Amino acid sequence: MAWDMDSDRPIYAQLVERIKMQIVSGYYPCGAKMPSVRELAAEAAVNPNTMQRAFAELERSGLILTQRTNGRTVTEDKALVEGVRHDMARSHMNTFVDRMRELGYTGDEILTLLKEVLGL
Amino acid sequence: MNELVEFLGVTKSYDSKKIAVDNVTLKLPKGKIIGLLGPNGSGKTTLIKMMNGLLVPTSGSIRINGVPVGAQTKAMVAYLPDRTYLTGNKTVSHILDYFVDFYADFSRERAEQMLANLGIDPSARMNSLSKGTKEKVQLILVMSRNADLYVLDEPIAGVDPAARDYILRTIINNYNPEATVLISTHLISDIEQVLDEVVFMRYGKLVLYTSVDNIREEKGKSVDAYFREVFAC
């Protein structure tokens, strides 16, 4: 199945997000071997050069390591993955809070509603 | 040298009034999948025919791997024309024999594998196949060569969406970092994810040559949406 992409943002950035998500959610756990650029490009139905660019970005961030003999693996650094996970969570929360404020909710009202939804 | 194709001031006029390709200068690199996009009558097919030596430019020159287009470059280019040339009562398998004889870089194994994946019987006669299946056979023949440049003129227009996905995957899987694939189409949204770069043409002129992610980054919209804006009627 080809990956769904937004039409208004660079494809490589969307690939980076998607793979980051797969790493922090444990689909590709710490130390796991990553598929090759070609395999993943075929799975996503995207250009291999674009997938290569996404991998380069993930290597820069340290989430993916390239070993000369062993292809690419997910980092063993659990703290790094946890940090990325936390950043992504914060970013979702910021979006959520912005939307709620657009609806005219105050901080207290947001908290009350959130507790209600979570059943706390 | 990273250039594969070089167009230098290429012009083609069919008569004094109609200029199909107007002074196009363009260099295409190796290892890219490039979309050749433009409305009907913008000169895409004329440009492609000149790359394959089927038409001769009125002025200007085209080089592939530094060699002027001619007999020598035909061995480097795998070309899918905009209409079928495989008619008659030959079987698919018989046509594979021809291609094996004709092209040193043709892989019969790869062709047979792709035929099997698409459920096409090699013993079927060409004139017993549907229009879409004929197009698939032609594309398989082209993609089974190990060429430096693949030139595909409207490769997906006539086939169903599932086969379209398979064809795009085939292009990705056969991707070779030294080879370039040039795809002319107006079905932009279907192939946008697969492209590195796009060439826009209008009235025979080169309008734009850039990367897909550049358009998305700078314009905040897909190539398809941007195309509709540039070529709005």
Side-chain angles (χ1 to χ4, degrees):
Chain A
M1 219 7 235
W3 296 0
D4 281 333
M5 303 278 170
D6 294 340
S7 63
D8 53 351
R9 292 187 304 131
I11 294 163
Y12 90 92
Q14 298 183 55
L15 297 177
V16 168
E17 270 170 30
R18 167 115 181 192
I19 298 169
K20 258 189 193 172
M21 189 64 164
Q22 288 175 322
I23 291 173
V24 303
S25 68
Y27 181 81
Y28 295 121
C30 279
K33 196 163 157 32
M34 292 295 295
S36 70
V37 166
R38 188 183 293 257
E39 282 163 4
L40 217 49
E43 185 194 315
V46 299
N47 186 297
N49 292 319
T50 311
M51 188 58 83
Q52 178 67 49
R53 188 174 170 196
F55 269 42
E57 179 88 19
L58 289 162
E59 277 166 18
R60 239 190 320 276
S61 72
L63 277 177
I64 287 181
L65 309 173
T66 300
Q67 265 122 15
R68 199 172 303 183
T69 50
N70 200 22
R72 290 186 179 79
T73 57
V74 180
T75 177
E76 302 273 6
D77 185 347
K78 288 207 168 71
L80 177 68
V81 174
E82 192 49 42
V84 170
R85 181 161 167 260
H86 187 74
D87 288 347
M88 289 172 82
R90 269 206 92 86
S91 148
H92 281 306
M93 286 311 282
N94 285 334
T95 313
F96 165 73
V97 170
D98 287 348
R99 292 274 153 82
M100 292 303 283
R101 289 202 192 282
E102 275 172 38
L103 288 172
Y105 276 71
T106 65
D108 282 342
E109 284 168 335
I110 295 173
L111 260 178
T112 311
L113 188 59
L114 192 58
K115 280 185 177 155
E116 194 185 311
V117 169
L118 291 174
L120 296 175
Chain B
M1 193 190 73
N2 195 31
E3 275 151 28
L4 183 59
V5 189
E6 185 183 27
F7 299 91
L8 202 65
V10 173
T11 296
K12 176 71 184 178
S13 49
Y14 289 109
D15 58 50
S16 56
K17 270 169 265 166
K18 191 170 187 308
I19 297 177
V21 171
D22 191 356
N23 196 17
V24 168
T25 295
L26 177 67
K27 288 175 183 171
L28 301 179
K30 289 180 183 167
K32 302 282 181 188
I33 303 177
I34 303 172
L36 178 59
L37 314 175
N40 301 117
S42 56
K44 303 186 296 286
T45 295
T46 301
L47 194 73
I48 284 174
K49 284 185 173 169
M50 288 191 286
M51 293 171 76
N52 287 289
L54 299 176
L55 288 173
V56 180
T58 312
S59 61
S61 66
I62 304 173
R63 287 168 182 269
I64 296 169
N65 274 332
V67 181
V69 167
Q72 222 185 322
T73 60
K74 290 191 185 188
M76 307 169 187
V77 183
Y79 168 47
L80 180 76
D82 61 342
R83 62 189 64 176
T84 180
Y85 56 93
L86 300 171
T87 45
N89 57 359
K90 299 275 186 290
T91 64
V92 174
S93 174
H94 196 153
I95 290 170
L96 293 188
D97 296 340
Y98 275 133
F99 270 70
V100 169
D101 279 350
F102 204 82
Y103 292 110
D105 59 3
F106 187 81
S107 162
R108 185 177 192 121
E109 199 188 340
R110 201 195 288 176
E112 283 173 344
Q113 183 60 55
M114 285 195 257
L115 288 170
N117 288 346
L118 285 175
I120 299 171
D121 175 10
S123 66
R125 293 187 186 280
M126 280 307 285
N127 55 15
S128 73
L129 300 176
S130 73
K131 180 169 177 281
T133 306
K134 267 187 207 149
E135 288 189 17
K136 289 178 201 167
V137 171
Q138 288 216 111
L139 186 75
I140 288 170
L141 293 170
V142 170
M143 295 312 294
S144 298
R145 285 186 55 198
N146 206 353
D148 294 329
L149 175 64
Y150 299 85
V151 180
L152 315 177
D153 199 351
E154 295 285 355
I156 53 174
V159 302
D160 59 85
R164 207 171 278 176
D165 282 351
Y166 176 79
I167 287 166
L168 293 179
R169 248 171 250 274
T170 302
I171 293 172
I172 296 170
N173 285 328
N174 285 351
Y175 171 79
N176 153 6
E178 287 295 300
T180 281
V181 184
L182 183 69
I183 306 175
S184 113
T185 188
H186 48 252
L187 298 169
I188 303 173
S189 59
D190 281 347
I191 65 160
E192 186 166 342
Q193 294 189 11
V194 173
L195 301 177
D196 284 295
E197 299 176 335
V198 289
V199 176
F200 277 17
M201 286 185 75
R202 177 164 55 184
Y203 306 134
K205 288 194 167 70
L206 178 69
V207 179
L208 178 73
Y209 172 45
T210 187
S211 80
V212 169
D213 272 348
N214 260 345
I215 290 182
R216 286 168 172 249
E217 237 154 312
E218 284 170 17
K219 314 288 177 193
K221 55 184 72 165
S222 66
V223 173
D224 187 48
Y226 184 59
F227 181 93
R228 286 165 203 261
E229 184 183 300
V230 171
F231 295 107
C233 298

